[in-house]
Amino acid sequence: MRTVEWDNGVVKMIDQRQLPHRFEVAEFRDYREVARAITEMYVRGAPAIGAAAGFGLALAALQSKATTFEELVQDLKAAYDVLYAARPTAVNLRWALDRLMHLVYSLETDDVEAVRQALVAEAQRIADEDVETNKRMARHGAELVPANARILHHCNTGALATVDWGTALGVIRMAHEQGKNVHVWVDETRPRLQGARLTAWELMQWGVPMTLIADNAAGYLMYSGQVDLVMVGADRIAANGDVANKIGTYKLAAVAKDNNIPFYVVAPTSTIDLHTPSGDAIPIEERDPREVTHVGNERIAPEGVNVFNPAFDITPARLVTAIVTEYGVVRPPYEENLRRVVEQTERDRRRKEE
Ligand code: MRU
């Protein structure tokens, strides 16, 4: 199944907190529960969060008792605020919600039932397009991967982080299917261990050769000539090319630069935020100290210890060799070239709407 699905008025999600030990599917009939599932990371990964929020707003439309267009818009705005607040860093969440609200305002009907159905259809389109977009990125990105490449990867950017297929891991999967004989160094990705739990699980299912490493091993591997390229995803890319991604990404980029290793970011144009001028303006989520004091359910730090737990960091654009999007590989100057691909996306969308 897909990571997030709409099934006849019910939102279904793979409960990623249980993987790799148990494969469980959670069902949601209330948009507030969808917001909670995003916060608690049943679903995670920027594009998957966007799709889940989209379905959440569609649920809110079905839940609403509104009988007039104005009442429905009121209810949708309230749901927007709840879903928007679920997690702050991945811009795909806001992108999906804005796309749906834009649709509501641009419909040439104020028939409440028609608006509800249009929202459900658009949320489904967001999910379907995500899969298509990922496959386009994979084809562009695979061109950057040489035969026998040893690739270092951080966090989880696979099918589980999207609706299906994945971003950076999607590129790696494509390169593997093209017979490039790739090998992946999988960062475990403390504190939530998305690498050890989810990326290892996905790569093993796909049959991609991989080795799990402690995050702290990455620098040594790069220094000792065992990494040909680093490939990661993104939660938000600012207009100047600064990249917010899972905590620890910046350290990888800095060490890659020091060792002349290309550092690639793979992300759809829905992750590019031209309204945010640079990384300094990207909100960085801070999560529960328990993620650091515990591994799984086991406490490893003394009771009462002080903890700081930022979930993301910023990699400055100067450390990013290229950004792979569904419109091709974007290279510096990012300010100019990111704007170009975003404008192209908007032109394509307008053409499809006509
Ligand atoms: O906290 P998470 O697991 O949601 O963080 C996910 C990441 O940082 C991914 O690298 C990013 O969302 C891109 S996923 C296609």
Side-chain angles (χ1 to χ4, degrees), residues 41 44-47 49 87 154-157 161-162 167 194 233-235 245-246 312:
M41 294 175 72
R44 28 73 45 205
I49 292 173
R87 285 191 83 186
H154 194 58
C155 196
N156 172 266
T157 64
T162 59
T167 59
Q194 289 94 328
D235 286 82
N245 191 48
K246 181 52 53 195
F312 300 95

Side-chain angles (χ1 to χ4, degrees), residues 3-4 34 38-39 41 43-55 83 86-87 89-94 96-97 160-163 235 285 312:
T3 301
V4 195
V34 172
I38 294 171
T39 305
M41 294 175 72
V43 66
R44 28 73 45 205
I49 292 173
F55 284 138
L83 289 159
R87 285 191 83 186
T89 303
V91 76
N92 303 61
L93 193 155
R94 187 188 78 201
L97 293 173
L160 290 168
T162 59
V163 176
D235 286 82
E285 177 183 15
F312 300 95

